[in-house]
Amino acid sequence: MAKKMKLAVLVLIGLLVSFGLNNGSYADETAKLTTAPEVPPALNRAGGAEVTVELETTEKKGAIAEGVEYTYWTFNGTVPGPFVRVKEGDTVTFNLKNSKDSKNIHSIDIHAVTGPGGGAKATQTPPGGKTAFQWKAINPGIYIYHCATAHIPTHIANGMYGLLLVEPANGLPKVDKEYYVVQGDFYTKGKTGAKGLQAFDVEKARAEQPTYVKFNAMATPGNLKANVGETVRLYVGNGGPNLTSSFHVIGEIFDTVYQLGAVGSEPAKNVQTTVIPPGGAAIVEFKVDVPAAYILVDHAIFRAIDKGAVGILEVTGNENPDVYKALKSGGADAGH
Amino acid sequence: MKIKFRFSFAAVLVIPLYLTFLAFHTDIAQASDDAYDVKVPESKLAEVKALKNVVASNKKSLSEAKAIYTGKGTCFNCHGEKGRGDGELASSFEPPPRNFTLSGWQKVRSDGELFYVITNGTESGMPGFGDMLSDEEKWSLINYIREFGKSKSLASRK
């Protein structure tokens, strides 16, 4: 009897283990989402998984500059919305919820999606509603997603965009640090710097004359960080709605750029400034050799200095005089 | 004295006539160029015009419709709380959102046409609510939209 019991237990354990193994290779997963500038970790698995993504559209006030507030329309309460990471070959179920407190219908058009409106047709979601669609991640690359509900430019101008990465089948080369940055242009009734809660100005938007140009307008505050000797990868998107970004990091050269986010194409090497159109993205990589505060800018430089398109990558570590050193200049006779 | 009487007589008769004309004319003038354009495709127009509103317009249904108009229907954002086409987002649209208070427009649009537009949207930016609202909710909304065309109605009250 005891032998029979032992056998039964062994068979049961065997069944449980085999069940676990069968389901372990492509277990369903819910995508880990991150708020800019954080990026979810690389996917340490093959493509072909069933992935679920959950997003919620909300409308909430936040700072656009010191003493200046704006009512952003968001995915998951941040601008840009969360970074979504899936793998080539994955089947993605996208669930969109619109907060009951929203005043507007919202939706999502994901540029990585092959299908009607990039998902927008299936996701027109009233306040308090839920919608969903499923799509296959066929093309690797870094893609913008945005709201596509009438009046579409207004929804985008209010901050409804983010990035989705479809990792190539073999993944991207390993780097030390990854960060997520999205540029957007904003149009307020008041002039740049005018205090208080500012309303959206559609006329300025039509004229393409923004009062603010921002990186990660309402995301986790603080600088990007890296150590000397590390390789940094930035996923840089442009939500627009209007301006094309001339993305540049002051004091650095991009060793590698996946221009237009075109993963699979031959990347460009040794790039000073890369162009990122509205509704587009790029991946830039560079090794940081010298400690400094490196400033991210749109090199259409009025936008950076006067309208806010500035970010900081803080690199710490030992000085590297072979690469860079300041020379002591003299006094009056050190002139030109 | 006689002249004065004649003038007063003319004033009494002509001025109200002129004001009536002006009101009617202003109603047309206020409407954007496309106000009287038919939004339903020619091939479906007869079928759509024949649709009958299945929801009775009463205090209860109008109250429910108001909740949709100012809630999940999001109509007020563009058409305005009083239906004047002056909602917060109105200026984003060209042509502007429909002003439901225009009596001329109220007369030429059938309930069926409004049902079609609410369901399918328009090329000028109105989203289709085909999947977002039930048929009953759409018919209720149409009753509510009709209230904007009346001077004393639930819709025109705050």
Side-chain angles (χ1 to χ4, degrees):
Chain A
M1 187 66 184
K3 269 188 181 177
K4 274 186 182 172
M5 280 294 286
K6 272 186 185 171
L7 188 66
V9 169
L10 283 171
V11 168
L12 193 61
I13 290 170
L15 279 170
L16 286 172
V17 167
S18 79
F19 181 77
L21 286 176
N22 284 339
N23 287 279
S25 54
Y26 280 142
D28 289 356
E29 64 181 48
T30 300
K32 178 180 162 55
L33 307 176
T34 55
T35 299
E38 297 303 319
V39 176
L43 297 170
N44 190 21
R45 61 164 174 79
E50 304 267 342
V51 181
T52 302
V53 179
E54 312 269 357
L55 289 185
E56 181 179 15
T57 51
T58 64
E59 298 162 12
K60 64 183 265 194
K61 281 180 203 163
I64 197 163
E66 202 177 323
V68 187
E69 273 202 315
Y70 189 75
T71 302
Y72 292 100
W73 297 357
T74 80
F75 290 98
N76 284 21
T78 60
V79 180
F83 193 101
V84 185
R85 190 167 197 152
V86 299
K87 198 142 201 169
E88 185 180 350
D90 284 354
T91 298
V92 184
T93 300
F94 222 98
N95 295 321
L96 188 69
K97 185 179 167 190
N98 188 1
S99 165
K100 65 176 175 45
D101 297 326
S102 291
K103 285 167 70 180
N104 298 277
I105 300 162
H106 295 299
S107 61
I108 194 162
D109 168 358
I110 305 168
H111 286 189
V113 170
T114 304
K121 193 169 165 46
T123 56
Q124 298 298 323
T125 313
K130 288 179 185 175
T131 53
F133 68 104
Q134 194 175 74
W135 57 284
K136 184 149 191 172
I138 301 168
N139 304 84
I142 184 78
Y143 296 94
I144 279 277
Y145 64 80
H146 61 85
C147 183
T149 295
H151 176 258
I152 296 170
T154 298
H155 285 250
I156 295 175
N158 283 335
M160 297 197 78
Y161 41 73
L163 286 182
L164 180 145
L165 173 67
V166 179
E167 271 191 18
N170 296 322
L172 289 167
K174 194 173 174 343
V175 292
D176 301 299
K177 293 274 165 58
E178 290 189 319
Y179 290 112
Y180 167 35
V181 179
V182 179
Q183 179 173 324
D185 29 298
F186 294 87
Y187 303 83
T188 56
K189 287 277 184 200
K191 289 180 180 175
T192 308
K195 303 294 183 196
L197 179 63
Q198 293 294 322
F200 170 61
D201 188 324
V202 73
E203 293 307 328
K204 284 178 187 160
R206 285 198 179 107
E208 303 189 7
Q209 292 171 342
T211 38
Y212 296 94
V213 183
K214 304 288 287 186
F215 294 131
N216 295 353
M218 186 171 61
T220 307
N223 297 338
L224 314 184
K225 289 182 178 172
N227 300 311
V228 167
E230 289 184 323
T231 301
V232 177
R233 173 180 292 142
L234 304 179
Y235 298 96
V236 190
N238 186 1
N242 290 320
L243 303 184
T244 295
S245 175
S246 302
F247 184 72
H248 175 75
V249 176
I250 297 172
E252 265 298 347
I253 297 109
F254 304 140
D255 300 326
T256 304
V257 178
Y258 297 86
Q259 291 172 312
L260 305 174
V263 172
S265 301
E266 192 61 34
K269 297 286 182 188
N270 306 319
V271 176
Q272 59 186 310
T273 300
T274 194
V275 170
I276 309 175
I283 304 173
V284 306
E285 297 168 358
F286 50 96
K287 187 179 171 203
V288 286
D289 300 295
V290 176
Y294 295 91
I295 302 172
L296 287 58
V297 294
D298 178 341
H299 214 295
I301 206 70
F302 274 94
R303 300 173 188 171
I305 307 301
D306 292 354
K307 295 186 177 180
V310 169
I312 293 173
L313 169 65
E314 193 181 317
V315 176
T316 50
N318 294 330
E319 293 292 340
N320 191 346
D322 279 353
V323 176
Y324 178 86
K325 64 183 167 207
L327 299 176
K328 280 190 181 169
S329 53
D333 59 349
H336 303 278
Chain B
M1 187 66 186
K2 205 174 182 182
I3 293 169
K4 197 176 180 184
F5 169 76
R6 275 182 185 164
F7 179 75
S8 302
F9 178 74
V12 168
L13 200 69
V14 175
I15 290 174
L17 275 172
Y18 175 71
L19 287 175
T20 306
F21 168 78
L22 199 66
F24 181 69
H25 190 263
T26 307
D27 186 40
I28 294 172
Q30 278 174 351
S32 54
D33 290 344
D34 78 328
Y36 298 97
D37 288 355
V38 178
K39 305 287 184 189
V40 180
E42 182 81 35
S43 61
K44 293 181 179 169
L45 193 56
E47 178 195 339
V48 165
K49 277 191 165 179
L51 290 172
K52 297 288 177 209
N53 195 331
V54 297
V55 175
S57 181
N58 54 43
K59 199 174 172 185
K60 182 173 177 288
S61 68
L62 288 175
S63 173
E64 286 164 1
K66 184 179 182 180
I68 296 166
Y69 187 89
T70 56
K72 72 172 181 176
T74 68
C75 320
F76 73 106
N77 283 329
C78 302
H79 295 287
E81 282 195 41
K82 298 283 179 68
R84 293 180 188 137
D86 59 355
E88 196 177 318
L89 298 181
S91 59
S92 289
F93 291 90
E94 188 54 51
R98 177 66 56 243
N99 177 350
F100 298 136
T101 65
L102 297 176
S103 57
W105 175 84
Q106 287 277 2
K107 279 175 195 155
V108 297
R109 272 300 81 78
S110 69
D111 281 6
E113 287 175 276
L114 299 187
F115 186 87
Y116 182 91
V117 166
I118 293 171
T119 304
N120 299 291
T122 66
E123 286 177 3
S124 50
M126 161 97 182
F129 288 78
D131 299 329
M132 287 188 266
L133 298 174
S134 69
D135 287 358
E136 195 180 336
E137 288 172 327
K138 290 173 205 163
W139 288 123
S140 282
L141 265 181
I142 291 163
N143 288 334
Y144 189 69
I145 288 165
R146 293 301 186 198
E147 292 291 307
F148 289 123
K150 301 172 186 171
S151 56
K152 288 182 179 177
S153 69
L154 176 77
S156 60
R157 291 201 296 270
K158 188 122 190 181

